[in-house]
Amino acid sequence: MPAIPFALQLYSVRDHMNTDPVATLKAVKAAGYDHVEVVGRAGYPPRAFRQLLNDCGLTPVSAHVGLKDIEKDLRAICDSAHTLEIPYLVFSGDAPDRQGWLELAWQADEIGSLLRKEGLQLCYHNHAHEFARIDGEYPYDLLMANASPENLQAEIDVFWVRFAGLDPVEQIHKYGHRCPLLHIKDMTPEPPYTFTEVGRGIIDMPAVFRAGKEIGAQWYIVEQDESMRDSLESVRISADYMRQQTI
């Protein structure tokens, strides 16, 4: 079985992207990434941003968007995704109660169905709050149970699953049939638990990679929400680790 490729979520280097996107994207390439997950376009229109990525030797594989943004202007979001040539659109959400999570699931199901007609796949990116029980149920399970798998798939974030006190590998296996994307990020060994470079924390990354391969994940996407050193140096360290793995 071939290795699963990895990409970088550009949110990891947003501080540099905000000041000099051209130099930042060149540095991301030099750090060891050939693929990226985008969030915004640094002020560029879609075609110009795709050309910038091409010029820097980077290929986008997915994008984070707001569900409300898709609902507000489905056509513009689809056109942008087609211009960037990305198959996955990823969102995050929250709700105040059980009914709110059900309504979010129904909304995602409807929007995901519309996106599929455009050749696009909607995915959900979790944080920790989806694993705080409401009336004995995890909101994440409510969301997934009430949207059809073909309309809503998963981008499981292993850090936030672990932060919530659950086993990321178990969640990967539980939702493996609908998990094309995995967010790969590591956790510091000591409290207060926060983000560190992949391979330098307490999350069992080899087990995560084995699970990803077993369930047929398509992409590992490296992200570090906050860095204790320069963010470009952090993503370089993570890329070095990823290249060393048989994933």
Side-chain angles (χ1 to χ4, degrees):
M1 182 181 295
I4 297 171
F6 66 91
L8 176 69
Q9 165 55 265
L10 289 176
Y11 183 77
S12 308
V13 291
R14 63 195 178 280
D15 53 338
H16 291 287
M17 286 292 292
N18 288 337
T19 58
D20 192 340
V22 176
T24 303
L25 293 172
K26 289 179 179 178
V28 166
K29 174 69 174 182
Y33 298 91
D34 296 324
H35 303 90
V36 292
E37 180 176 69
V38 303
V39 53
R41 298 188 302 270
Y44 288 77
R47 193 169 302 281
F49 190 59
R50 179 58 201 255
Q51 186 60 55
L52 174 58
L53 291 172
N54 288 347
D55 292 345
C56 294
L58 297 169
T59 301
V61 300
S62 53
H64 275 217
V65 297
L67 198 64
K68 289 183 179 179
D69 293 331
I70 303 174
E71 191 174 41
K72 180 180 178 181
D73 198 340
L74 179 75
R75 183 72 267 145
I77 294 293
C78 291
D79 288 348
S80 176
H82 292 321
T83 298
L84 293 174
E85 299 181 49
I86 54 174
Y88 300 107
L89 294 176
V90 186
F91 80 101
S92 296
D94 198 0
D97 52 26
R98 187 180 190 279
Q99 182 61 31
W101 283 104
L102 291 176
E103 291 174 0
L104 181 62
W106 300 332
Q107 181 187 18
D109 190 61
E110 180 179 359
I111 291 174
S113 176
L114 296 174
L115 289 175
R116 281 201 306 120
K117 295 176 183 178
E118 293 282 340
L120 301 169
Q121 178 63 61
L122 185 66
C123 298
Y124 185 83
H125 174 277
N126 67 278
H127 293 90
H129 61 268
E130 294 90 347
F131 299 100
R133 292 185 188 274
I134 296 177
D135 297 331
E137 297 179 273
Y138 291 131
Y140 193 80
D141 292 338
L142 284 172
L143 183 68
M144 289 295 166
N146 289 279
S148 59
E150 62 269 24
N151 293 337
L152 182 63
Q153 296 191 359
E155 180 181 68
I156 292 176
D157 184 305
V158 299
F159 174 96
W160 288 117
V161 173
R162 176 66 183 270
F163 192 87
L166 281 71
D167 181 357
V169 171
E170 289 183 4
Q171 292 302 309
I172 292 168
H173 281 298
K174 182 175 183 177
Y175 288 106
H177 62 293
R178 60 197 296 183
C179 185
L181 311 175
L182 285 173
H183 254 208
I184 304 299
K185 60 178 73 166
D186 218 336
M187 179 184 290
T188 53
E190 303 293 336
Y193 298 112
T194 188
F195 312 96
T196 190
E197 293 80 15
V198 180
R200 294 193 169 186
I202 57 175
I203 293 179
D204 188 348
M205 288 300 170
V208 166
F209 297 146
R210 286 194 298 272
K213 183 171 286 190
E214 288 164 3
I215 61 96
Q218 299 299 300
W219 288 96
Y220 296 136
I221 299 175
V222 173
E223 182 181 34
Q224 191 165 334
D225 297 32
E226 302 288 345
S227 298
M228 291 179 284
R229 52 174 56 82
D230 184 89
S231 61
L232 283 168
E233 174 63 12
S234 284
V235 300
R236 183 197 63 77
I237 293 169
S238 291
D240 288 345
Y241 178 83
M242 296 298 288
R243 284 198 303 271
Q244 295 168 14
Q245 308 308 303
T246 304
I247 56 180

